[in-house]
Amino acid sequence: MQTQERLYRLVVLGASGFTGQFVAQEVAREQVAREQNPRLAWAVAGRSREKLQRVLERVALKLGRPTLPSEVGIIICDIMNPASLDEMAKQAAVVLNCVGPYRFYGEPVIKACIENGTSCIDICGEPQFLELMYWKYHEKAAEKGVYIIGSSGFDSIPADLGVIYTKNKMNGTLTAVESFLTIHSGPEGLCIHDGTWKSAVYGFGDQSNLKKLRNESNLKPVPIVGPKLKRRWPISYCRELNSYSIPFLGADVSVVRRTQRYLHENLEQSPVQYAAYVTMGGITSVIKLMFAGLFFLFFVKCGIGRQLLIKFPWLFSFGYFSKQGPTQKQMDATSFTMTFFGQGYSQGFGPEKNKPNMRICTQVKGPEAGYVATPIVMVQAAMTLLNDTSDLPNTGGVFTPGAAFCRTKLIDRLNQRGIEFSVISSSEV
């Protein structure tokens, strides 16, 4: 990576958007934390100078740094204007792309970054976009020596690195992992900005093209070590957590599976099977979610239905998604726990006709997932990309977070910033 001659080490693209403003705030915090080190030169980028200036002023006020707006660059560019994206990319070592839905706005940024020798990180949770970008741009990125790393937010670094962490902490061979995400909300409840809702609507509305893409890729299956991991029922009960659960419908499973393929094919590691779930608490929450899910699946199948879903997110999601997003009070009172239950074989005990004889439980804990944890994760991924260059894959390319960061200090960085990886238990059975 050629980083030294660029004007800015980091550029936050879409910094005036709902999530982008929190990412800009997190970069400013990182700049404060690094004041004893070489100065972190960074910029914000977007269509409106006035909006970007207001974001910097709000961040300056929140962090008590009145000089901040004069220290941060402003780059005017537009997704619809390739020349402006080229100019933005030429000034950056790493672009943090916060402009979604990525299926509509992500590819021009990746193209501009590759053509101008710039690495790029995004927080996409859209499997179709992530997998398509790999097939279209992996070889081009490798030729340029740049790193394009998708899903570097809550989708899917806690899950992807959580599986790698579990594997590294097990004294033997990990063969399968189930993760359970629990969201803890305060008295004012939980709310998510409708940008995430839009991505889900468009993604589920285009499932057939994702299946077509996977069929056309014609990848040979990754070997299954030990017993095949059985899928749970759409609604199942997790005894260990004393809670009902449903499958997690984000990008985590797609991302983890791609990482495990990379680790197996490139680093000759034993692949891990993976399934992801969300806990729902009691039966009342399950019933409420069932109705929301049925409405969603019914409307998402046709164009008019998708328009209604996008126009009235609060109504169709039973209040979980809104155009305003969460309040500061809601974010302050919300946190997440992701619990990983793994199984495998102790050293010297193989899968040939033997049942798994090792169990391990690990956790990743952190603050509110969408707009507190995601900016922390994204910025630390970018800092890892800048500083742990010798531990990255030898050549550039389009990578999952686990493939890019499995040998870096990213987990240590996250632990230091309130996203904690820990072992709960490990035993032979």
Side-chain angles (χ1 to χ4, degrees):
M1 283 175 61
Q2 301 297 316
T3 63
Q4 299 306 319
E5 73 276 12
R6 299 299 173 103
L7 185 58
Y8 302 113
R9 303 270 277 167
L10 302 177
V11 170
V12 181
L13 176 61
S16 59
F18 191 83
T19 306
Q21 62 185 322
F22 294 109
V23 173
Q25 182 174 294
E26 189 59 33
V27 176
R29 281 203 188 93
E30 183 67 21
Q31 186 183 31
V32 171
R34 291 170 52 84
E35 278 192 335
Q36 303 304 317
N37 299 317
R39 180 173 167 269
L40 179 66
W42 66 288
V44 291
R47 291 179 297 177
S48 167
R49 181 176 295 274
E50 292 74 21
K51 287 182 179 180
L52 294 170
Q53 189 68 36
R54 284 200 295 271
V55 167
L56 293 177
E57 288 167 0
R58 285 197 298 269
V59 172
L61 189 64
K62 187 151 191 174
L63 300 184
R65 295 197 66 209
T67 61
L68 181 74
S70 63
E71 298 168 3
V72 181
I74 293 180
I75 302 172
I76 305 305
C77 63
D78 189 333
I79 298 291
M80 303 304 173
N81 183 340
S84 72
L85 290 179
D86 286 336
E87 284 303 309
M88 180 270 301
K90 286 173 184 175
Q91 299 178 65
V94 178
V95 169
L96 282 69
N97 183 13
C98 304
V99 183
Y102 290 91
R103 66 169 53 240
F104 300 130
Y105 308 121
E107 187 170 357
V109 180
I110 287 176
K111 191 174 180 182
C113 285
I114 292 173
E115 288 177 355
N116 293 284
T118 305
S119 290
C120 180
I121 288 177
D122 69 43
I123 46 176
C124 177
E126 305 163 41
Q128 184 179 347
F129 174 81
L130 295 164
E131 294 178 31
L132 181 62
M133 291 304 98
Y134 172 81
W135 291 112
K136 289 186 76 168
Y137 293 104
H138 179 66
E139 290 182 5
K140 293 177 184 176
E143 288 170 11
K144 287 281 191 174
V146 300
Y147 296 86
I148 308 298
I149 307 170
S151 54
S152 292
F154 184 74
D155 280 25
S156 294
I157 281 183
D160 205 13
L161 292 188
V163 172
I164 289 172
Y165 175 84
T166 305
K167 186 176 185 177
N168 292 340
K169 292 298 180 181
M170 185 163 176
N171 187 25
T173 302
L174 182 70
T175 62
V177 172
E178 291 181 315
S179 71
F180 292 84
L181 170 63
T182 302
I183 301 295
H184 316 277
S185 58
E188 296 196 14
L190 176 71
C191 184
I192 305 169
H193 188 257
D194 78 326
T196 303
W197 175 259
K198 286 177 184 175
S199 296
V201 170
Y202 292 125
F204 277 93
D206 201 27
Q207 282 278 66
S208 59
N209 279 324
L210 176 58
K211 290 178 182 176
K212 184 180 176 184
L213 175 66
R214 289 173 174 171
N215 289 335
E216 289 175 351
S217 65
N218 203 26
L219 292 168
K220 66 177 182 180
V222 174
I224 293 173
V225 180
K228 187 174 181 179
L229 183 62
K230 293 179 181 178
R231 285 187 181 182
R232 292 175 178 251
W233 289 95
I235 298 172
S236 62
Y237 187 74
C238 178
R239 286 177 298 171
E240 294 89 345
L241 298 176
N242 192 29
S243 178
Y244 288 94
S245 69
I246 60 169
F248 179 70
L249 299 178
D252 285 358
V253 171
S254 165
V255 171
V256 170
R257 285 177 180 170
R258 288 171 57 216
T259 293
Q260 292 303 314
R261 174 179 291 278
Y262 172 86
L263 296 176
H264 173 66
E265 293 179 351
N266 294 274
L267 303 181
E268 297 181 351
Q269 294 187 13
S270 177
V272 178
Q273 302 171 70
Y274 177 67
Y277 302 92
V278 185
T279 64
M280 293 306 302
I283 196 68
T284 306
S285 299
V286 171
I287 293 169
K288 183 178 176 182
L289 190 88
M290 278 177 62
F291 278 105
L294 289 171
F295 274 116
F296 183 87
L297 292 173
F298 177 78
F299 280 92
V300 82
K301 289 180 180 179
C302 65
I304 295 173
R306 289 192 289 274
Q307 289 175 23
L308 288 170
L309 288 170
I310 288 166
K311 191 171 183 180
F312 304 107
W314 189 87
L315 175 66
F316 288 104
S317 69
F318 283 59
Y320 284 119
F321 292 86
S322 77
K323 294 182 182 295
Q324 294 76 35
T327 64
Q328 190 62 51
K329 278 187 177 181
Q330 285 176 317
M331 288 190 287
D332 291 343
T334 303
S335 62
F336 79 88
T337 301
M338 190 173 276
T339 306
F340 299 82
F341 296 104
Q343 65 178 30
Y345 299 91
S346 58
Q347 291 182 355
F349 195 84
E352 302 82 14
K353 298 182 181 179
N354 293 318
K355 289 184 178 179
N357 71 327
M358 286 286 292
R359 295 278 188 274
I360 186 169
C361 175
T362 63
Q363 277 187 346
V364 180
K365 286 185 174 183
E368 190 276 334
Y371 315 105
V372 183
T374 284
I376 292 171
V377 165
M378 188 184 205
V379 172
Q380 291 312 311
M383 298 309 297
T384 302
L385 200 53
L386 289 172
N387 296 313
D388 294 5
T389 51
S390 62
D391 297 321
L392 297 170
N394 293 331
T395 58
V398 178
F399 296 102
T400 59
F405 299 128
C406 61
R407 296 191 281 196
T408 68
K409 300 181 181 70
L410 178 53
I411 288 177
D412 295 336
R413 285 191 169 91
L414 294 174
N415 272 320
Q416 291 167 12
R417 283 160 179 83
I419 297 177
E420 301 169 2
F421 291 68
S422 62
V423 177
I424 304 302
S425 64
S426 180
S427 62
E428 212 168 314
V429 292

